[in-house]
Amino acid sequence: MNLTLRIWRQKGPEDKGQMVTYPVQDVSPDMSFLEMLDVLNERLILDGEEPVAFDHDCREGICGMCSLMINGEAHGPQRGTTACQLHMRQFSDGDTIDIEPWRARAFPVVKDLVVNRNAFDQIIAAGGYVTAPTGSAPEAHSTPVAKANADAAFESAACIGCGACVAACPNGSGMLFTAAKITQLSLLPQGQPERYTRVIGMVDAHDEAGFGGCTNIGECAAACPKGIPLNTIGRLNRDYLKATAKRAGTPGS
């Protein structure tokens, strides 16, 4: 395939960026999207030009590093797929493809397609862990967990922290990420002692990091490559209401 790429180029956080057009030829439909960018960068280097900077690591849809808006969609047109697992067979000969970084106030551009996602680390540092010493791994059946809770916790734990939910949200909200990291602990016995201090701390960190508010539009769940459902945010909201009631000393909370 012969394609036209329009790629966001920006030298640094304080520089003004712009879309730059690059033609690419003889693209195999079996290439991954990132392999196609590798081919472009090899050509740019040979021509003495600056290669396009983009995040990547495992290229297996696990690490959450790849973060591209492809034709206005987080990770591209294929649902449930990260950009590194997206293959060029999803496109056609002669297509023009727009490639941009995540767009959110909490994710400032570092260079080209690379953004700073340290805001997610701040949310995790505010409570996304269990502090109780647990020793070595316990025997699997020593702590009974209802299957529905175990399944929901596992579903939330699938979050890879890529930030697609933030990029897709018109408000730039990171609430689906925050809810997933809270829910995976709040549904399990190990997460109960800090359940309510955790939700307050992590939601406060979310807001302080500059993320927008959630208005239940649902674009986050639609863009999530791991299929984390929107009702995960509902679980967070219930815990947050209980936590604020406990903090205020409301009877029966």
Side-chain angles (χ1 to χ4, degrees):
M1 295 184 291
N2 295 326
L3 303 168
T4 300
L5 307 181
R6 299 200 313 153
I7 301 177
W8 182 261
R9 301 304 306 267
Q10 183 174 336
K11 290 184 178 180
E14 306 303 324
D15 296 300
K16 186 176 181 180
Q18 62 178 342
M19 300 293 282
V20 178
T21 301
Y22 300 99
V24 288
Q25 291 82 32
D26 299 325
V27 175
S28 167
D30 295 324
M31 282 182 178
S32 73
F33 198 87
L34 298 192
E35 286 172 335
M36 181 272 297
L37 290 179
D38 289 337
V39 170
L40 170 65
N41 276 344
E42 287 176 0
R43 195 195 79 197
L44 291 176
I45 292 169
L46 290 174
D47 292 343
E49 298 182 46
E50 184 77 13
V52 178
F54 62 93
D55 266 332
H56 63 96
D57 192 357
C58 75
R59 300 200 177 200
E60 296 179 349
I62 299 170
C63 71
M65 287 298 293
C66 55
S67 50
L68 302 176
M69 290 294 287
I70 302 169
N71 286 340
E73 296 183 89
H75 290 303
Q78 188 173 5
R79 288 286 182 90
T81 303
T82 54
C84 63
Q85 292 289 289
L86 179 70
H87 285 77
M88 297 311 297
R89 65 180 69 97
Q90 297 293 323
F91 303 93
S92 301
D93 183 43
D95 278 356
T96 296
I97 305 174
D98 289 344
I99 310 172
E100 300 174 82
W102 289 162
R103 300 290 190 184
R105 182 173 59 180
F107 291 162
V109 174
V110 176
K111 182 179 180 181
D112 294 340
L113 304 174
V114 179
V115 298
N116 185 339
R117 285 173 282 182
N118 284 348
F120 273 180
D121 296 332
Q122 295 170 25
I123 294 173
I124 294 298
Y129 48 81
V130 174
T131 60
T134 58
S136 60
E139 199 280 324
H141 300 294
S142 62
T143 305
V145 180
K147 186 176 189 307
N149 288 348
D151 289 347
F154 188 84
E155 184 176 56
S156 294
C159 172
I160 57 176
C162 65
C165 52
V166 179
C169 177
N171 305 325
S173 174
M175 200 54 73
L176 188 66
F177 166 83
T178 307
K181 298 304 180 183
I182 288 172
T183 297
Q184 72 182 58
L185 296 174
S186 67
L187 289 171
L188 299 177
Q190 296 87 341
Q192 297 311 306
E194 296 157 309
R195 179 172 182 172
Y196 297 113
T197 55
R198 176 185 299 114
V199 67
I200 289 177
M202 293 180 73
V203 170
D204 286 350
H206 168 279
D207 296 344
E208 291 167 4
F211 292 101
C214 175
T215 51
N216 288 318
I217 293 172
E219 288 293 330
C220 55
C224 178
K226 297 304 175 181
I228 295 172
L230 193 61
N231 65 8
T232 308
I233 298 176
R235 289 195 179 97
L236 177 150
N237 288 336
R238 286 192 293 272
D239 272 7
Y240 190 79
L241 287 172
K242 290 180 181 179
T244 52
K246 285 179 178 292
R247 187 166 61 176
T250 303
S253 62

